[in-house]
Amino acid sequence: MAMTCTGCLSMGVACDIVVPSLIPVRPGDRVKTDRRDARKLVRLYRAGELSFVSPPSPEQEGLRDLVGCREDLRRARTAARHRVGKQLLRYGYVFREGKKSWTVRHRAWVRRQRLEDPLAQAALAHMLCHLDTVEAELAAVDRELEQVAASFPWCDPVGWLTCFRGVSTLTALVLLAQIGDFRRFASARELMSFLGLTVAEYSSGDRRTRGGLTKTGNRHARRLLVEAAWHYRHPPGLSTRLRANEPLVPPQARARAWQAQIRLHQRHRHLTQAGKLQTVATAAVARELCGFVWAAMTSQPLREQPNPNQTRPSTHKEAIAA
C-alpha cells in the first residue's frame, strides 16, 4: 500500500515515497535519463511493482531522535568504561573483590586506585570525569523518556507493549519510534520480514534450502525483540512490574501477554529439548513474539481467553493448564 507524505498533503500535492534500492532494474540497461526514469516509474507504478515507505510523523521523528541519542550515550558509556578498565589492567590493577564490574563495590574500588605515574593518574582522573558526565547525561535522557512514556500519545501503546515479559518502558518507546504505526503491516509476517526475523530460503523444485535469519530492516528493534525473547526461557509468571501495570491496560492486552508467555515458553522449551542451541531457540521465540506484539497493537481477536490475573505457576504443568 502506498504511503503518502504528510508534508506534501499539507501543500495539496499527492506524493508517494518509493524505496530507490527496490526499484526493478533490467540487466544490461545502461542508459539513464530523466525522461526514461519518469516513464519507467509510471509503468512500474501502474503495474504495482514499486515498494513504498511510510514517512514518520513529526512526533515519531522526535522520539526517534531522542532514543537514538540515548543509544549513542549508552555506547559512549560502554567505551568509557572499557578505557578505564583497560588502563587499570595495563598497570596490573585487577578487581578481585567481586565477580561483576561496575557494581557499587567495583566503582568504589576504581575510585580508590592511585597509579604511580602522575601522568597516568591524571589520564585516569580525566577518563573517570568523562564517564561521570556521560552517565549523568544518560540518566537525564532516561528521565525525559519516562516523562514521554507517560504523556499523550505514547502512554497507551507503551502500556500495551509493557504487558509483555521482557519489554520495559524504554524497549516499548524504541519499538514505537522505529516501527511507528503497526497497522501499516497487513499481517504479522510482514512485520517479521520488515525486522529481518524471517528465515532466508533458496528453493527450487524438490530442492529446499534454508539459512539463518535475513537480518534485514531495522536492527535496533530486532535486537530489542531478541533480548526480550530471552526472558521466555523461564516458566510463565507475573512479575512485580507486570502486576503494577495491570490496572493501566485493558484486559485484552493482559490476556494477550499472558497467552504469549505460555506459548513462547513452550516453544523455547520444545526447541531446546529437541537439541537446538539456546541462541537459535531464542531467535525463533523472538519471531513469534513479534507476531504477538503485532496482534496486540492492531487489536486482533484472541483465539483463547487465558486468565491474565492468575498468579505465578509453581510448576510447568500448571503453566500449561492455565
Side-chain angles (χ1 to χ4, degrees), residues 78-133:
T78 301
R81 287 178 173 180
H82 286 172
R83 285 192 292 268
V84 171
K86 298 305 182 291
Q87 186 187 23
L88 291 175
L89 186 61
R90 286 198 306 270
Y91 286 90
Y93 293 85
V94 181
F95 177 66
R96 303 184 186 279
E97 301 176 9
K99 297 182 179 179
K100 295 184 178 180
S101 300
W102 300 109
T103 59
V104 176
R105 181 179 297 180
H106 179 261
R107 288 176 180 273
W109 176 83
V110 170
R111 302 287 180 182
R112 292 196 305 266
Q113 305 311 309
R114 295 294 181 269
L115 304 182
E116 296 181 0
D117 189 347
L119 297 181
Q121 178 60 34
L124 178 62
H126 286 299
M127 286 188 289
L128 288 175
C129 181
H130 171 66
L131 176 60
D132 294 339
T133 302

Side-chain angles (χ1 to χ4, degrees), residues 214-235:
T214 59
K215 294 184 179 180
T216 58
N218 195 292
R219 58 193 176 107
H220 300 293
R222 179 175 63 251
R223 175 179 61 84
L224 291 176
L225 286 176
V226 173
E227 289 179 358
W230 281 101
H231 293 77
Y232 291 91
R233 68 186 187 274
H234 303 296

Side-chain angles (χ1 to χ4, degrees), residues 1-3 179 181-194 290-291 294-295 297-301:
M1 182 179 66
M3 298 299 176
I179 298 175
D181 188 3
F182 286 77
R183 294 172 296 180
R184 62 191 177 98
F185 300 97
S187 63
R189 291 182 181 272
E190 289 189 8
L191 180 57
M192 297 173 189
S193 178
F194 172 77
C290 179
W294 174 85
M297 299 303 293
T298 56
S299 302
Q300 298 297 316

